Amino acid sequence: MNNITNIPLMILQKSVGQPLAKSPSAFGRWLNPTVVSAEEGKVVFSFRVREDMTNPVKLLHGGIIAAMMDDTLGATMLSLGDANFKISINLVIDYFNAANVDDIVTVESDIIKNGKNIINATCIMKNQDNKIIAKGNSNLFHSNIEVQL
């Protein structure tokens, strides 16, 4: 960003080590991420796996894994400082390992290419033992819908 204050990035950086209580997403607040780090185009969130996030065998539900990744990707888009919402076109996830109740999982999201219309980003989820739980890739569209922070 050139000579413009990146308020979303500042909010993320001031929240490092804390839950992101002021997420513009109600679902994001339910997920209750803790901000691990944030820089323009790269965000790391951690999540505690709660029982209400599990499948019938008490493992972290694949849909919640996708939601955690999508939420982290969304924060990464906000870190760019652009007021316009980025709409997910796709989210492709490879699942490698399970996560259990009370595990702390970390999701790191990076922008690979920020194009004129499409942003390509990747994310990876690891558990507290640095074991890869899942890896994702997403394409997002630059919309003209303004995000209200």
Side-chain angles (χ1 to χ4, degrees):
M1 301 215 50
N2 298 339
N3 300 322
I4 299 173
T5 302
N6 185 336
I7 293 173
L9 181 58
M10 288 173 51
I11 291 169
L12 286 166
Q13 289 174 335
K14 285 183 179 182
S15 299
V16 168
Q18 303 170 42
L20 189 60
K22 295 190 179 199
S23 171
S25 162
F27 187 64
R29 290 189 299 274
W30 178 83
L31 288 170
N32 196 31
T34 295
V35 181
V36 175
S37 65
E39 59 188 73
E40 191 171 311
K42 182 176 183 172
V43 170
V44 181
F45 281 170
S46 67
F47 302 84
R48 185 182 66 79
V49 177
R50 303 185 313 261
E51 187 173 355
D52 61 342
M53 296 174 164
T54 63
N55 60 24
V57 295
K58 303 295 184 204
L59 298 174
L60 181 58
H61 192 287
I64 300 298
I65 291 172
M68 290 172 171
M69 289 184 158
D70 192 56
D71 196 60
T72 308
L73 285 160
T76 304
M77 298 306 113
L78 285 174
S79 77
L80 297 173
D82 177 3
N84 291 344
F85 189 66
K86 311 303 182 269
I87 298 171
S88 298
I89 297 171
N90 64 3
L91 177 58
V92 178
I93 301 172
D94 294 314
Y95 298 91
F96 299 111
N97 289 292
N100 299 294
V101 173
D102 290 327
D103 279 357
I104 302 297
V105 295
T106 303
V107 180
E108 180 178 320
S109 172
D110 291 291
I111 293 176
I112 304 302
K113 183 176 188 317
N114 187 355
K116 180 179 177 185
N117 296 310
I118 304 294
I119 298 174
N120 179 267
T122 187
C123 53
I124 190 162
M125 176 185 281
K126 296 180 181 180
N127 69 8
Q128 62 272 4
D129 298 322
N130 211 31
K131 182 186 253 186
I132 297 174
I133 303 299
K135 184 174 186 289
N137 190 69
S138 183
N139 290 297
L140 302 100
F141 176 74
H142 288 279
S143 80
N144 59 4
I145 302 167
E146 190 170 321
V147 176
Q148 301 298 316
L149 296 178

